[in-house]
Amino acid sequence: MSPLLKVINNKKTNINPIWIMRQAGRYLPEFREIRKKNTDFIKLCLNENLATKITLQPLKRFDLDAAIIFSDILMLPYGLNQKVEFKKNFGPILGDLNLDQILNLDEVDFVKKIFSIYKTIKVQLDL
């Protein structure tokens, strides 16, 4: 059992597992190289192969116990059909919030829209 799993399962361990916040990986040259070639951030988050590669980058460089899946909290409004745009040197811009549209969204449609993220998580679990 890994040190992280021991801690999660409340087992005694003589080491403290460490983890890295996803945004901390932004400084890695291998991340910047992928990001330079993939300017559409939403498409990058939905690309399970690249999202997996990015997630694993810090683990390949450092002696870490776990990493956070590469994605973004704004994939939730994207999945709810809200317009999400990432403007360079500014940040995210969200379109108008249409509560009726969100309330009428079928759960299956939401899952279909962000299914690549589920696949990325599955790939990580299978490693």
Side-chain angles (χ1 to χ4, degrees), residues 7-40:
V7 170
I8 290 170
N9 290 316
N10 204 23
K11 305 282 184 201
K12 294 207 183 263
T13 176
N14 61 350
I15 63 167
N16 291 324
I18 57 174
W19 60 297
I20 188 167
M21 290 181 3
R22 175 62 247 149
Q23 289 185 335
R26 288 183 179 177
Y27 74 92
L28 295 177
E30 53 269 38
F31 170 77
R32 289 196 309 263
E33 188 65 30
I34 290 173
R35 186 69 175 99
K36 185 172 40 173
K37 295 175 184 173
N38 296 273
T39 57
D40 186 322

Side-chain angles (χ1 to χ4, degrees), residues 21-69:
M21 290 181 3
R22 175 62 247 149
Q23 289 185 335
R26 288 183 179 177
Y27 74 92
L28 295 177
E30 53 269 38
F31 170 77
R32 289 196 309 263
E33 188 65 30
I34 290 173
R35 186 69 175 99
K36 185 172 40 173
K37 295 175 184 173
N38 296 273
T39 57
D40 186 322
F41 189 72
I42 290 176
K43 284 183 181 176
L44 181 57
C45 289
L46 294 173
N47 182 321
E48 67 227 49
N49 293 324
L50 289 177
T52 296
K53 190 173 188 176
I54 292 167
T55 298
L56 296 176
Q57 286 173 344
L59 295 176
K60 289 179 180 177
R61 256 186 189 263
F62 306 106
D63 185 23
L64 303 172
D65 298 303
I68 295 173
I69 298 292

